[in-house]
């Protein structure tokens, strides 16, 4: 019965408060980075999902000023053990 309990439990693929940073110097003249942040869980169509927010932080080399933009909010279904 322990095995059945383990197999039916959702497994989180990221921990609470997880943050990832990625280089985003691909569209000149703006250089900077992307930040993806796990902000909590929500339920969509009876599925527990992780809420991830993606934001770009950069600097415009032509205008000589910083810029930032919320790119998207995504929801990722937690992975589950399958038999």
């Amino acid at each position: 019965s322990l095995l059945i309990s383990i197999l039916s439990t959702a497994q989180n693929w990221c921990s609470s408060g997880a943050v990832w940073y990625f280089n985003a110097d691909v569209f000149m003249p703006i250089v900077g980075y992307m930040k993806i942040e796990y902000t909590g869980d929500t339920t969509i169509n009876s599925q527990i999902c992780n809420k991830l927010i993606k934001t770009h932080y950069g600097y415009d080399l032509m205008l000589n000023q910083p810029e930032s933009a919320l790119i998207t909010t995504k929801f990722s279904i937690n992975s589950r053990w399958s038999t």
Side-chain angles (χ1 to χ4, degrees):
S1 72
L2 177 61
L3 182 59
I4 292 171
S5 175
I6 291 171
L7 292 177
S8 66
T9 303
Q11 302 296 313
N12 288 329
W13 61 271
C14 61
S15 59
S16 178
V19 179
W20 298 270
Y21 296 93
F22 299 94
N23 185 12
D25 292 346
V26 293
F27 43 94
M28 292 298 279
I30 299 173
V31 295
Y33 65 94
M34 292 287 186
K35 175 183 174 184
I36 300 176
E37 184 175 9
Y38 168 64
T39 61
D41 293 330
T42 190
T43 304
I44 300 174
N45 293 331
S46 302
Q47 294 281 333
I48 297 173
C49 300
N50 300 123
K51 182 177 180 182
L52 304 172
I53 296 178
K54 183 178 180 182
T55 307
H56 177 263
Y57 296 93
Y59 192 85
D60 189 319
L61 298 172
M62 291 188 80
L63 298 177
N64 198 28
Q65 67 184 21
E67 67 91 31
S68 66
L70 174 64
I71 303 299
T72 187
T73 300
K74 294 192 175 205
F75 299 93
S76 172
I77 297 174
N78 289 335
S79 63
R80 295 181 183 271
W81 289 102
S82 60
T83 56

